[in-house]
Amino acid sequence: MRVLHGDSLSPHTRKIALALRLKHLDYQLAPTSPFEAHERVIHHPPMQTVVALAESSHTIYQDTVITAYLDDAYPDPLLYPGNPTHRAQIRWVEWFCRYQLDPLITDTLFYQRVVRGHILDKTVDHQAVNQALQTLPACCQYLGEQVKAMPTQTVTMAGISVWSLFRCAKMAGLVLDDRFAALSDYLSALDQHPLFDAYAQEENHQLTPFFASPISLATT
């Protein structure tokens, strides 16, 4: 049995789950809390769990390594399709989400407003939240420019990366106003795809009570 080890709230675990579903690969999720030790998964600070995929006698770690492995092992359909230029653009969007936006959205907004504020019922660091809201507009504007010409009918790792991350943003209450129309339109189009719609419905069934109140990005 193929086993996905990771925190079900993490966008990195969500990425791999969606990739497996896109490729019609059966898997079992072994939930791993970022607050607890686990013998098969290396942990970083909260909400930065390293995902692991166990198949047969081997285990692959880290979400971007796993997605590359999945395309090598199960190339139909590809997560990184197209010519070299197109694949490079997909990888760039994935990298930007993983290393530029994730610390702001997942590790700050989602962790503070959902994990601490609702699930753990602890004090929210409002200063950290406000700092993230000050930094995010430029990042969201840039991401919108990168994805506005990308197709949404064919799912790639670019779409999976953006959607997985902004699911955390949505749970954290983040509302994108008219300044971010390109990104909003891209996310809305992805929401209509059966892959993302089905996954969202599953999450909503369990997590809707933990969604945070609406919050807007800072204006300059």
Side-chain angles (χ1 to χ4, degrees), residues 3-66:
V3 180
L4 173 59
H5 296 269
D7 175 13
S8 60
L9 294 178
S10 165
H12 317 310
T13 304
R14 189 180 293 118
K15 276 175 56 177
I16 305 307
L18 287 165
L20 290 167
R21 294 182 183 204
L22 180 66
K23 291 176 178 289
H24 303 289
L25 298 173
D26 294 332
Y27 70 94
Q28 178 182 352
L29 177 65
T32 305
S33 169
F35 308 104
E36 299 174 359
H38 190 285
E39 63 181 3
R40 299 188 69 115
V41 181
I42 303 169
H43 292 284
H44 290 283
M47 302 315 299
Q48 293 181 4
T49 306
V50 175
V51 184
L53 181 67
E55 278 199 322
S56 302
S57 60
H58 58 276
T59 301
I60 303 98
Y61 295 93
Q62 210 269 346
D63 51 295
T64 55
V65 177
I66 295 171

Side-chain angles (χ1 to χ4, degrees), residues 22-24 70-71 73-78:
L22 180 66
K23 291 176 178 289
H24 303 289
L70 289 175
D71 259 11
Y74 310 99
D76 185 23
L78 288 169

